[in-house]
Coordinates of all heavy atoms in Angstrom, one line a residue:
L82 N 0.2 10.7 22.0 CA 1.4 10.3 21.3 C 2.1 11.5 20.7 O 3.3 11.6 20.7 CB 1.1 9.3 20.2 CG 0.7 7.9 20.7 CD1 0.2 7.0 19.5 CD2 1.8 7.2 21.3
L83 N 1.3 12.4 20.1 CA 1.9 13.6 19.5 C 2.6 14.5 20.6 O 3.7 15.0 20.4 CB 0.9 14.5 18.8 CG 0.3 13.9 17.5 CD1 -0.8 14.8 17.0 CD2 1.4 13.8 16.5
R84 N 2.0 14.6 21.8 CA 2.7 15.3 22.9 C 4.0 14.6 23.3 O 5.0 15.3 23.6 CB 1.7 15.4 24.1 CG 0.6 16.3 23.9 CD -0.3 16.4 25.2 NE -1.4 17.3 24.9 CZ -2.6 17.1 25.4 NH1 -2.8 16.0 26.2 NH2 -3.6 17.9 25.2
K85 N 4.0 13.3 23.4 CA 5.2 12.6 23.7 C 6.3 12.8 22.7 O 7.4 13.1 23.1 CB 4.9 11.1 23.9 CG 4.2 10.7 25.1 CD 4.0 9.2 25.2 CE 3.1 8.8 26.4 NZ 2.8 7.4 26.4
Q86 N 5.9 12.8 21.4 CA 6.9 13.0 20.4 C 7.4 14.4 20.4 O 8.6 14.6 20.3 CB 6.3 12.7 19.0 CG 6.0 11.3 18.7 CD 5.2 11.1 17.4 OE1 4.7 12.0 16.8 NE2 5.1 9.8 17.0
K87 N 6.6 15.4 20.6 CA 7.0 16.8 20.7 C 7.9 17.0 21.9 O 9.0 17.6 21.8 CB 5.8 17.7 20.8 CG 6.1 19.1 20.8 CD 4.8 20.0 20.8 CE 5.1 21.4 20.7 NZ 3.9 22.3 20.8
S88 N 7.6 16.4 23.0 CA 8.4 16.5 24.2 C 9.8 15.9 24.0 O 10.8 16.4 24.3 CB 7.7 15.8 25.4 OG 8.6 15.7 26.5
S89 N 9.8 14.7 23.3 CA 11.0 14.0 23.1 C 11.9 14.8 22.1 O 13.1 14.9 22.3 CB 10.7 12.6 22.5 OG 11.8 12.0 22.0
I90 N 11.3 15.4 21.1 CA 12.1 16.1 20.1 C 12.7 17.4 20.7 O 13.8 17.6 20.5 CB 11.1 16.5 18.9 CG1 10.8 15.3 18.1 CG2 11.8 17.6 18.0 CD1 9.7 15.5 17.0
S91 N 11.9 18.1 21.5 CA 12.5 19.3 22.1 C 13.6 18.9 23.1 O 14.5 19.6 23.3 CB 11.4 20.1 22.8 OG 10.8 19.4 23.9
H92 N 13.4 17.8 23.9 CA 14.4 17.4 24.8 C 15.7 17.0 24.1 O 16.8 17.4 24.5 CB 13.9 16.2 25.6 CG 14.9 15.6 26.6 ND1 15.3 16.3 27.7 CD2 15.7 14.5 26.6 CE1 16.2 15.6 28.4 NE2 16.5 14.5 27.7
T93 N 15.6 16.3 23.0 CA 16.7 15.9 22.2 C 17.4 17.2 21.6 O 18.6 17.3 21.6 CB 16.3 15.0 21.0 OG1 15.6 13.9 21.6 CG2 17.5 14.5 20.2
A94 N 16.7 18.1 21.1 CA 17.2 19.3 20.6 C 18.0 20.1 21.6 O 19.1 20.6 21.4 CB 16.2 20.2 19.9
N95 N 17.5 20.2 22.8 CA 18.1 20.9 23.9 C 19.4 20.2 24.4 O 20.4 20.9 24.7 CB 17.2 21.1 25.1 CG 16.1 22.0 24.8 OD1 16.2 22.8 23.9 ND2 15.0 21.9 25.6
S96 N 19.4 18.9 24.4 CA 20.5 18.2 24.9 C 21.7 18.2 23.9 O 22.8 17.9 24.3 CB 20.2 16.8 25.3 OG 19.8 16.0 24.1

Side-chain angles (χ1 to χ4, degrees):
L82 288 172
L83 290 175
R84 285 182 184 143
K85 284 180 186 173
Q86 288 174 351
K87 186 176 180 182
S88 170
S89 171
I90 290 169
S91 66
H92 177 72
T93 304
N95 291 340
S96 66

